[in-house]
């Protein structure tokens, strides 16, 4: 990021604004690239701005849990289906 600009210019936490589309965050609590606390901060800021944010945290999973972590894959599939239904995007 430093090659193309200030990394803070690309931070989702710093880009939260009112009126953003709904978001579903699927996150492993042991993510080695994106700290779980940062995700919680993003969620709090986004909700405080009035945005619709749904979360599904996979306990103990790392960044790429969707490729290898069977319980996390099941949790992810359920969260996606439930969230899309709640948003009225699928029946």
């Amino acid at each position: 990021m430093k090659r193309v600009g200030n990394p803070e210019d690309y931070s989702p936490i710093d880009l939260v604004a009112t009126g953003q589309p709904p978001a579903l965050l699927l996150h492993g609590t042991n993510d080695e690239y994106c700290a779980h606390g940062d995700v919680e901060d993003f969620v709090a800021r986004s909700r405080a701005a009035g945005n619709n944010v749904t979360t599904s945290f996979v306990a103990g999973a790392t960044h790429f849990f969707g490729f290898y972590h069977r319980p996390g894959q099941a949790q992810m599939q359920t969260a996606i289906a439930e969230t899309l239904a709640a948003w009225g995007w699928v029946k």
Side-chain angles (χ1 to χ4, degrees):
M1 296 303 298
K2 288 182 182 179
R3 290 180 292 185
V4 296
N6 182 351
E8 290 181 5
D9 293 340
Y10 303 95
S11 169
I13 292 172
D14 295 325
L15 298 175
V16 169
T18 299
Q20 292 178 319
L24 167 61
L25 299 177
L26 305 162
H27 191 258
T29 60
N30 287 347
D31 190 316
E32 64 277 26
Y33 297 104
C34 181
H36 186 67
D38 289 345
V39 174
E40 290 176 324
D41 288 346
F42 173 83
V43 170
R45 287 186 192 191
S46 195
R47 287 178 176 160
N51 298 315
N52 179 352
V53 180
T54 302
T55 61
S56 183
F57 298 127
V58 181
T62 60
H63 189 78
F64 296 104
F65 73 88
F67 294 107
Y68 69 88
H69 191 274
R70 296 285 185 222
Q73 290 170 339
Q75 182 178 336
M76 179 173 59
Q77 289 173 343
T78 299
I80 291 168
E82 289 175 354
T83 301
L84 292 178
W87 292 346
W89 295 6
V90 296
K91 292 180 182 184

